[in-house]
Amino acid sequence: MYRQGDVLIAPLAESAVPRGALDATSEPRDRRGRLVLALGEVTGHAHAVVGPGRLIREDDAFGPMLLHVPEGARVVHEEHAAISLPKGWYRVVRQREYVPGSVRIVAD
Amino acid sequence: MNEQASWRAVAAATGAGDRARTEAGVRLAYRGAGLPEPERIVWVRSPLAAVRLLSGAAADDGEALPATGASVRDAVRNRPVAAARARLHHRLGPTGWSDHWRATGADLWETTQPLVDRVRTGVVEALAPADRKEETRVRLLLLDAVLGQHDAAWLSAFDTAPELDGLAEVARAAGWWWPYERVAVVAERPVELHRDEAGRLDRGDGPALAFSDGFALHAWRGLPVPGEFLDRLASLTPEQIRAEENAELRRVMLEYHGYDRYLEESGAQPVHRDETGVLWRIALPGDEDVVMVEVVNSTPEPDGTSRTYWLRVPPTTTTAREGVAWTFGLSAEAYEPLRQT
C-alpha cells in the first residue's frame, strides 16, 4: 500500500481484479504519455504513472480506479517524492473528507 | 498545450476577449445554421446584464434593445451539436462514444456545470428574489443562452466538427450569448474566477466569480456564501463561531479561522494520537461534534517545513488511524501504507 499526498495506491491480488476490468477500455494517457491518477484543477499538478500500464476507471469521475503495471512503474507528482510500484494490479483511491450529510474529495 | 488542456483553459478564461473574433464567430454560427446574420450584435458585461437587457432594461449605452425576433438557439447551437454527436456516436458506437466522452469532455463537464448552475442561480436571485412568475420568466431567458466558454466540455468532445466552428470561435473569446433572429446579445467573460484544486468556486477575501459590471458570486470551497459573511471572517472569535446557528456557515468559519487556532483558543485536548496523526474533537452545541485528524504531510515544503493539514472524519471515529483510514475508505486494520510521500 502506497500513499502519495491525497492518493492511496493499494495492491490488488490478481484473483480480486474484477473480471470486467480485463477487457475494459483504458483511460487515455496525457500529452506527456502518462497515466493521470488525479489532476489538480488549478495548478495542473498531477499524480501520474510513468511507464507501461493501464488505468481503468471503475465508475464515477472520482474513482476508485484500477491500475495495472505489468512491469512495475513510478508514480510522480510535482510536489511529492516519486514512488516505485512493483508490478501488479492496484486500486487507486482518492482521499475524501467527512461533511455532515455528504462526503467531499480532498485536493492537495 | 494539447486539445483538452486548451479547452480547459477556455472554460476558465477571464477578462475581455477579442470582440471582432467573437462577432465573426456569431455570424459564422448563424450562417452555418442556414440563417441570415443578425442585424445587430449587442455586448453586455455579464449574464445578469444580458437578462436585464432582454427583460426591457436599457443597455449600457442607454439604448433599449431593438426587437429581437424569436430565439434561434435551437438552430444555432442544439442542432449542430446534436448532429456532431450523432455522427461521432454512429462512427464510434455506444461504448466507443462513452469512452470518447470520458477521454474528452467528462471531467471538464464535472467542474463547469456547477459554475453554470451558480451563475443561473445568481441571476435568478438578483432579478426575481420572491416572485415565482418572475422567476419562471428569468429562467426561460436563461435557457435561451448559448454557454460560450462554458460549452468547452462539449466542444472539446467534437473538436473536429466543422459545423461547430462558429460556436467554438465565440467560446474562445466570450461568455454566454443569446442568439435571436435579428439580434445577438453577447456577454463578456468574468473578470475574476477563483477556484480550489478540485475546481470549486473558492475565495475567502472577495467574490469567487465576478463580472466587470459588479455581478458577483461568493463561495468557499464550492459552498455559496453571502458576501457580507466573508467580510466578517477575518475578525472572528471562537465565541462567534460557537454562536453561529447555520451549521454550514459555522464549518466555513472554522476552516477559515483555522482548526489549530480554534483548538488552541478553546483549550482543546487531543482525543487520540498514534503514528498516523492526532485525533481532535470539538463539541458544538446543537450540532454533531466536529472530529478531525491532524496529519503531517510526508513531503516537506520547499522551505523544509512540513505542512500540517486537517481532515474532518465521521463523529464516531475514536482513533487517529481509524480517521485517516476512513479518508481512504478503509478500516483501521486495512490501512498500512508501506511508503508515503
Side-chain angles (χ1 to χ4, degrees):
Chain A
M1 188 177 293
Y2 305 84
R3 176 174 168 190
Q4 190 182 60
D6 58 3
V7 169
L8 189 78
I9 304 158
L12 195 61
E14 191 95 35
S15 58
V17 175
R19 245 190 298 162
L22 298 172
D23 46 36
T25 318
S26 309
E27 290 293 299
R29 287 171 181 267
D30 75 353
R31 179 175 52 110
R32 290 148 74 180
R34 310 176 306 174
L35 292 168
V36 176
L37 306 181
L39 176 70
E41 186 68 27
V42 175
T43 55
H45 290 174
H47 298 278
V49 168
V50 184
R54 300 205 304 136
L55 184 65
I56 298 143
R57 202 177 281 254
E58 284 192 283
D59 40 29
D60 63 317
F62 291 121
M65 294 191 286
L66 296 172
L67 174 67
H68 185 214
V69 284
E71 299 166 27
R74 267 162 71 78
V75 188
V76 296
H77 186 274
E78 286 79 353
E79 292 178 335
H80 296 274
I83 288 179
S84 293
L85 293 182
K87 65 182 177 184
W89 282 86
Y90 296 86
R91 178 163 271 137
V92 180
V93 186
R94 274 195 91 169
Q95 195 161 35
R96 60 181 177 164
E97 187 173 10
Y98 175 77
V99 174
S102 68
V103 159
R104 74 179 175 200
I105 298 296
V106 173
D108 69 0
Chain B
M1 220 188 294
N2 67 355
E3 292 298 330
Q4 280 338 103
S6 81
W7 282 113
R8 200 165 279 281
V10 163
T14 53
D18 182 334
R19 286 198 173 192
R21 185 178 177 184
T22 304
E23 295 191 4
V26 168
R27 294 181 200 286
L28 179 59
Y30 274 68
R31 288 200 305 275
L35 299 170
E37 294 180 4
E39 293 158 28
R40 280 189 59 189
I41 296 176
V42 179
W43 283 86
V44 290
R45 295 194 287 168
S46 72
L48 175 65
V51 173
R52 274 208 178 111
L53 184 67
L54 291 165
S55 305
D60 283 348
D61 57 10
E63 272 187 60
L65 193 67
T68 59
S71 169
V72 291
R73 182 183 191 276
D74 195 47
V76 167
R77 195 265 181 200
N78 293 4
R79 270 185 254 158
V81 168
R85 181 187 162 123
R87 203 166 56 234
L88 208 55
H89 199 278
H90 180 75
R91 183 155 62 82
L92 300 175
T95 316
W97 157 252
S98 151
D99 291 342
H100 176 74
W101 171 246
R102 274 199 339 223
T104 54
D107 288 351
L108 191 50
W109 173 254
E110 293 265 346
T111 52
T112 311
Q113 187 54 30
L115 204 62
V116 170
D117 290 340
R118 283 284 285 130
V119 171
R120 287 202 180 113
T121 307
V123 171
V124 168
E125 281 172 358
L127 293 181
D131 183 337
R132 286 286 292 277
K133 216 169 133 190
E134 184 60 11
E135 179 181 332
T136 306
R137 199 187 55 78
V138 170
R139 286 198 184 278
L140 287 174
L141 279 176
L142 286 168
L143 287 179
D144 284 346
V146 178
L147 298 183
Q149 64 175 157
H150 292 154
D151 263 336
W154 292 108
L155 293 168
S156 76
F158 309 128
D159 222 347
T160 52
E163 68 263 55
L164 302 182
D165 285 351
L167 292 174
E169 272 300 280
V170 183
R172 290 191 187 98
W176 298 12
W177 59 289
W178 280 256
Y180 294 93
E181 283 169 323
R182 298 173 59 190
V183 178
V185 175
V186 186
E188 297 271 16
R189 295 184 297 213
V191 287
E192 303 244 23
L193 173 66
H194 303 267
R195 298 181 301 156
D196 67 5
E197 272 294 276
R200 302 169 299 198
L201 283 177
D202 178 42
R203 191 175 171 201
D205 59 355
L209 179 71
F211 292 83
S212 65
D213 61 351
F215 175 50
L217 299 170
H218 296 77
W220 174 267
R221 305 213 178 149
L223 178 75
V225 295
E228 320 80 81
F229 171 79
L230 289 181
D231 297 338
R232 285 168 49 213
L233 284 181
S235 58
L236 284 176
T237 63
E239 292 69 40
Q240 285 170 318
I241 296 172
R242 271 194 293 272
E244 171 59 52
E245 285 176 6
N246 180 316
E248 279 194 323
L249 294 184
R250 185 160 56 197
R251 189 182 315 139
V252 176
M253 289 171 156
L254 271 172
E255 281 185 357
Y256 188 92
H257 189 72
Y259 292 118
D260 48 348
R261 231 174 106 196
Y262 183 88
L263 289 166
E264 193 181 324
E265 288 168 6
S266 52
Q269 294 296 315
V271 175
H272 182 260
R273 187 187 295 268
D274 59 31
E275 66 289 350
T276 67
V278 184
L279 190 75
W280 296 87
R281 177 178 293 266
I282 300 175
L284 292 174
D287 194 5
E288 63 181 272
D289 292 354
V290 177
V291 177
M292 289 171 300
V293 281
E294 175 190 349
V295 186
V296 178
N297 222 345
S298 302
T299 302
E301 300 291 303
D303 67 2
T305 59
S306 290
R307 190 165 68 96
T308 300
Y309 63 100
W310 304 76
L311 293 173
R312 190 164 176 184
V313 295
T316 50
T317 310
T318 55
T319 69
R321 168 177 292 277
E322 186 190 344
V324 175
W326 181 89
T327 67
F328 290 112
L330 296 175
S331 69
E333 303 75 50
Y335 181 70
E336 200 58 65
L338 198 65
R339 181 162 149 71
Q340 309 190 54
T341 68

